Amino acid sequence: MNLGLQNKIAIVAAASQGLGRAAARQLALEGATVVICSRREEAITQAARELREESGSVVLPVKADVTKPQDISHLVSEAEQRFGTVHILVNNAGGPPAGDLLSLTDEDWLRGHDLTLMSVVRLTRAVLPLMVRQEWGRIITINSIVAKQPINELLLSSAVRPGIGGLAKVLANQYAKYNITVNTVCPGHIRTRRQEELAQTRAAARRISVEQYFTETAAAIPAGRLGQPEEIGNVVAFLASEKAAYINGVNLLVDGSAAKGVH
């Protein structure tokens, strides 16, 4: 399917690896010009080079930490100066630390809030004027299944991520008149480095191997397997396209039916 993204300019945050990279890859394969960022300059430069080689699209790496307002301003400014505007924003960031109420400090909570929620607020606030001016935009946030179904050991994430869904819904209501859609994607168990790290923690707590943990996790998912990063990238690319113009204010689970409630 041709999603018609050949003339679109996209920013994808935290795109040196994992779900951010998968989203950037699919947008680039669809012909979009993609600006990607990471705190690690070497990693984001290498990712951009590999994505350019695979897709043939323009991919611009920018060193930026999405917890720093000045870095966010620099990222959006670079995109605007180089390409004139931003059509698509993919908000993404690494997850906050695991832990329970007694182990997580105030500093953990503040850092987690800044990373998970405020990065979305600040990036979205920076690109919205451009999208309003051109009367077209796509804002997509890679969120998490915990926004729909909390997970005990991910207390901080479970507390903060539902707010992203609320933010997306309000912005969708307010900016739909400008042909701007605001949606979130809520991945379930996707085989990324973050998932590997969580698996090691959970497996150690249960005194089982990581592979045994993954086997048991897959068995508990109706689809019978963990998801792959490209499956999230495909959803992001579709939501970024004109073909998804009537999908707005949605918090979309992509989880192989792992979440148990009716959403």
Side-chain angles (χ1 to χ4, degrees), residues 1 8 18 58 67 76 78 82 89 113 116-117 119 130 147 193 200 202 222 241 245 256:
M1 181 185 294
K8 301 303 184 186
V58 175
T67 67
V76 176
E78 281 289 300
R82 290 286 298 269
L89 170 65
H113 176 266
T116 306
L117 179 59
S119 65
L130 301 174
R193 182 175 297 180
Q200 289 173 6
R202 293 168 179 169
S241 73

Side-chain angles (χ1 to χ4, degrees), residues 5 8 17 72 78 115 139 162 194 220 224 226 228 233 246:
L5 298 178
K8 301 303 184 186
Q17 62 184 22
I72 287 174
E78 281 289 300
L115 173 67
I139 299 169
R194 164 74 168 168
L226 277 72
Q228 296 300 318
Y246 208 55

